[in-house]
Amino acid sequence: MARLDLSTAQVAVLDDQAHTARALWNLLHEYCTFRQGRFPTVKECDTAIRQARREIDWMGRLPAQAAQAVLRTYRQAWANFFNPAHPAGRPTFKSRSRTRPAVDVPQARDLNITRVNRRWGAVSLPKVGRVRFRWTMDLPGVTRGGPAGRITGARLVKEADGWQIVFRTERQVPAPAAHPGGRVGVDRGVTVALALSDGTMREHGPWLRDGEKERLRRLEKTSARQRRARSPGRPASRRLARTYDRIARLRATAKRRAVDWQHQTTTELARAFGVVVVEDLTITNMVRSATGTIEHPGRNVRQKAGLNRAITGQAWGRTITLLEYKTRDRGGLVVKVPAPGTSQTCHRCGHRDPASRDGTRFSCVNPACGWAGHADTNAAINIRNAAGTAVSGRGDLGAARSAKRQPPHAA
């Protein structure tokens, strides 16, 4: 994903295209779900789109190729919904306020990508013109001596800090050889981001600096005051919209820094280890609210809300998603094991007692053992030793079988 350097007029053009694409999706959804009889075919939908472009003036703001991309995406959404193995839900209407603006450029022949200098490249966009973008990585078929392959299209996405471009590429990647690295257990936490079974840890500082935190706090107070001044049922004022934009830009900054740290850390782990063992966590259940009901109110609601924010800020699921494809590309494997008991069990003697853990300190209460050390390191060792009871594995099948055959062992 690379940032586009757009003028004010070009931003307005892309905004119009994105709103038109969203409206076209809604029109397609209405055409397909509210008509009588069978579900329309692709040809019938295409004919309806062409007729709409002739009869509705503002439909012409969206390039014809981008309109066809909306149709393909909509049909694929229904195919995913009817696929029992796919987790996608039923396609619905897209709201203006809750939909991320996006425009597809499905064909790469008119992009005319060139490199301007070390930091910038240039690309041609339909109805927008020649635009510079931030050069962040080598592109196949464009960079001399770069990766072999070709660019098949692009997608324009509007984030909180402006429009970004994502290039779709096609490359032939040979099957990776088996990873020669060893096995490691990884425990995800809040106090320590990632604790490894080899005794090392991967930590990070706050995603926002002190000044940025203070600015975010002031903006949130300002937005609360502006919301109180708004009459019920009235749309947000321009001042409130500007405040929301500033808050979104700060949160986007924090997310970029978090994703950057996750990419660097997961790349390091994927290069160093052949088998990475993690807990099979149901994160959505872990971050549920403790408010309860009127009849049965919850306890420690504010503390649980703070813990939920901390877990969400760590983005544990994204860390494992990045780690899975990076280890797979390098011939490694990510194994998920059952989570219960890993933080309360001594890895040396196997004695399990909640009293053994006190915050980040683990002291085995078994008189015959008495091991003491960091609680997250102990949990990571238990996770690594539980690889023989894996519930799932992503990566090389041969590595998965060998990992499951290996018996648990103590550090």
Side-chain angles (χ1 to χ4, degrees), residues 54-321:
R54 289 193 299 267
E55 297 177 354
I56 305 175
D57 294 337
W58 53 265
M59 290 288 291
R61 299 173 184 172
L62 186 67
Q65 296 178 359
Q68 295 298 318
V70 173
L71 174 58
R72 285 194 295 271
T73 305
Y74 180 75
R75 301 288 297 197
Q76 185 61 45
W78 277 109
N80 295 339
F81 171 67
F82 288 119
N83 183 3
H86 202 283
R90 183 185 180 90
T92 59
F93 290 103
K94 290 191 175 182
S95 149
R96 182 186 181 98
S97 59
R98 297 185 180 181
T99 302
R100 184 170 64 171
V103 180
D104 273 314
V105 185
Q107 295 185 0
R109 61 186 181 187
D110 298 327
L111 291 176
N112 297 325
I113 303 171
T114 59
R115 187 163 188 175
V116 178
N117 51 41
R118 184 172 64 90
R119 294 180 176 271
W120 295 95
V123 61
S124 297
L125 302 178
K127 296 182 181 290
V128 178
R130 199 69 176 165
V131 176
R132 295 203 312 170
F133 67 93
R134 189 72 170 84
W135 194 278
T136 56
M137 62 181 300
D138 293 335
L139 297 176
V142 178
T143 307
R144 292 184 178 180
R150 65 189 183 97
I151 295 176
T152 60
R155 182 174 176 84
L156 311 175
V157 181
K158 188 175 185 180
E159 300 287 353
D161 56 343
W163 280 93
Q164 314 279 334
I165 185 169
V166 182
F167 293 104
R168 288 191 294 268
T169 61
E170 185 180 85
R171 293 186 297 169
Q172 290 186 353
V173 180
H179 198 294
R183 182 173 61 179
V184 67
V186 178
D187 178 65
R188 292 165 284 176
V190 175
T191 305
V192 177
L194 298 177
L196 274 60
S197 59
D198 59 3
T200 62
M201 299 180 182
R202 304 296 185 269
E203 301 182 75
H204 58 77
W207 305 129
L208 292 177
R209 295 185 286 269
D210 292 340
E212 294 170 333
K213 290 180 181 178
E214 178 62 20
R215 186 184 175 202
L216 179 60
R217 186 186 69 84
R218 290 177 179 272
L219 287 172
E220 289 176 341
K221 291 180 64 177
T222 300
S223 67
R225 184 176 64 252
Q226 291 171 342
R227 286 197 303 271
R228 287 196 300 268
R230 184 181 61 178
S231 300
R234 300 283 297 178
S237 65
R238 292 186 179 180
R239 289 185 178 180
L240 180 57
R242 285 197 297 268
T243 304
Y244 283 155
D245 289 342
R246 293 168 183 169
I247 292 174
R249 283 196 290 270
L250 280 173
R251 290 177 176 172
T253 299
K255 181 179 178 180
R256 286 198 305 273
R257 292 170 182 169
V259 173
D260 178 68
W261 179 85
Q262 288 177 316
H263 270 292
Q264 294 186 36
T265 305
T266 53
T267 299
E268 175 199 353
L269 296 178
R271 288 174 177 172
F273 301 102
V275 178
V276 181
V277 189
V278 297
E279 292 176 297
D280 185 30
L281 299 177
T282 308
I283 302 175
T284 54
N285 294 340
M286 297 176 64
V287 296
R288 284 181 176 175
S289 174
T291 305
T293 61
I294 297 178
E295 295 79 8
H296 304 284
R299 295 180 299 175
N300 299 326
V301 177
R302 293 180 63 87
Q303 292 84 343
K304 182 61 168 65
L307 177 61
N308 291 347
R309 286 194 297 269
I311 294 176
T312 304
Q314 293 293 341
W316 291 344
R318 185 169 61 213
T319 299
I320 300 306
T321 299

Side-chain angles (χ1 to χ4, degrees), residues 344-353 356 362 364-366 369:
Q344 300 176 358
T345 305
C346 177
H347 73 275
R348 176 170 294 179
C349 66
H351 180 73
R352 178 176 177 179
D353 193 332
S356 298
F362 188 92
C364 183
V365 296
N366 183 7
C369 177

